[in-house]
Amino acid sequence: MDEVAEAAARAFQLLPAGPEDVPAEREARRLARRLETDPDTVERDLIKLVLTLVELLRQLMERQALHRVDQGDLTEEQEERIGSTLMVLHDRMRELCARYDLTMEDLNLDLGPLGPLLPPS
């Protein structure tokens, strides 16, 4: 346990202590990526965030299901049920996106140097 605490302490020592320690250019880029809050779009932005999380979970469940199918862990009936459920969830996601004037591509958040949140469909 002490080793974990020491590793965490070393990792936090590498982080800047505050805004004054961040170079001006880096601070400008950080501010440019901040969320812009507009009272007129709060509902849509919140829905976008929720749908993004649901889509991420849907894709993870789909990958897990495919893995289980490849491993032969599921019966044919279970495969059918999971496939149907994932298709219905995907359809509902498209309906909700249409209701809030979003596309599935809008849900793919840009994580900066890490790249997009969602893998290509």
Side-chain angles (χ1 to χ4, degrees):
M1 196 58 133
D2 291 333
E3 292 176 22
V4 172
E6 289 174 20
R10 284 193 308 273
F12 283 113
Q13 288 173 353
L14 299 175
L15 297 174
E20 63 278 354
D21 296 331
V22 178
E25 178 184 313
R26 185 171 166 201
E27 178 68 14
R29 282 185 283 152
R30 186 181 69 78
L31 290 175
R33 285 188 279 203
R34 269 194 185 160
L35 292 175
E36 293 183 28
T37 55
D38 181 6
D40 298 332
T41 63
V42 169
E43 180 182 10
R44 182 178 184 271
D45 293 341
L46 182 60
I47 289 293
K48 181 178 176 182
L49 178 60
V50 170
L51 291 178
T52 297
L53 292 173
V54 171
E55 178 61 15
L56 177 62
L57 291 173
R58 187 195 69 76
Q59 288 187 16
L60 290 173
M61 289 186 321
E62 186 176 300
R63 282 191 172 76
Q64 181 65 27
L66 290 173
H67 177 72
R68 289 187 66 192
V69 167
D70 290 343
Q71 296 297 317
D73 292 346
L74 302 173
T75 65
E76 193 171 310
E77 180 183 316
Q78 289 172 324
E79 289 178 19
E80 287 294 322
R81 192 168 30 135
I82 288 173
S84 297
T85 302
L86 289 172
M87 286 191 313
V88 167
L89 181 55
H90 186 70
D91 291 343
R92 297 294 183 264
M93 287 291 296
R94 289 210 179 271
E95 288 172 15
L96 287 169
C97 283
R99 181 182 301 168
Y100 288 94
D101 196 28
L102 295 167
T103 65
M104 294 300 280
E105 291 78 28
D106 291 336
L107 304 181
N108 199 358
L109 300 177
D110 180 14
L111 300 177
L114 298 176
L117 175 66
L118 302 172
S121 302

